[in-house]
Amino acid sequence: MTCWEDKTPSPTCRICDAPAVPGSYLCDRCRRLRDRVDTRPGARVDVEARLRAMHTQWSAEEGAFRCYYTGLALTE
């Protein structure tokens, strides 16, 4: 089991290591990204795939997520 698959409460975010929301395994920013709504007609969100992508794309050096295609740091 990788760190993002562990859904037990943690003092730090399992994606970016920021302080987690009490009783959660994610920080506020990562929770917002995990829970964002896909407005495309008929779209279904795969939460596990989204968490896996967030974990893969997080850059601790930059403190930002990086684009999968370009590698550029993303802004919020």
Side-chain angles (χ1 to χ4, degrees):
M1 178 185 308
T2 58
C3 64
W4 61 268
E5 291 175 310
D6 183 1
K7 308 274 191 310
T8 59
S10 171
T12 59
C13 179
R14 299 210 191 270
I15 302 293
C16 69
D17 287 327
V21 172
S24 180
Y25 62 97
L26 297 173
C27 66
D28 187 51
R29 170 185 50 200
C30 290
R31 283 171 55 125
R32 282 194 321 271
L33 290 171
R34 179 200 61 192
D35 296 339
R36 69 186 170 91
V37 176
D38 191 338
T39 58
R40 295 176 295 170
R44 300 182 84 182
V45 175
D46 182 344
V47 174
E48 294 301 314
R50 185 172 282 178
L51 287 170
R52 186 172 47 252
M54 288 170 62
H55 184 273
T56 303
Q57 293 171 243
W58 175 252
S59 170
E61 298 81 35
E62 295 185 52
F65 291 97
R66 300 182 69 74
C67 175
Y68 176 82
Y69 297 104
T70 66
L72 296 173
L74 302 174
T75 59
E76 293 179 49

